[in-house]
Amino acid sequence: SQICAVLKKRREELGWSQQQLATKAGMQRSYVSDVEQGRRNISVANFCRLTTTLKMTGAQVFTEVGK
């Protein structure tokens, strides 16, 4: 999905691996991978954890999706 692509792009901009993001967000690397690949639906709680860890807001994610 477009949301997943935005999260992945931001992670890459920060120069983080999936493992680094997962560790910082308190998640499993396989979960982060599945989310980025669109293989897993993301809950609102986990979306908020990821966006906070990625130093962005939900509004920023949706703005990027709308571009």
Side-chain angles (χ1 to χ4, degrees):
S1 79
Q2 293 177 338
I3 291 172
C4 301
V6 170
L7 296 176
K8 180 178 180 179
K9 178 182 172 196
R10 178 63 177 155
R11 175 183 62 77
E12 291 173 342
E13 287 172 352
L14 292 170
W16 294 350
S17 67
Q18 288 179 342
Q19 183 62 58
Q20 288 171 308
L21 173 56
T23 299
K24 292 173 188 292
M27 299 175 170
Q28 296 293 317
R29 188 213 50 84
S30 59
Y31 179 81
V32 171
S33 175
D34 286 349
V35 167
E36 286 186 355
Q37 298 302 314
R39 292 188 297 247
R40 199 179 272 242
N41 291 327
I42 187 170
S43 69
V44 172
N46 284 340
F47 174 78
C48 291
R49 282 171 65 186
L50 286 173
T51 56
T52 298
T53 303
L54 290 167
K55 303 173 184 168
M56 60 191 317
T57 65
Q60 288 172 307
V61 173
F62 292 113
T63 298
E64 287 296 314
V65 167
K67 286 184 178 178

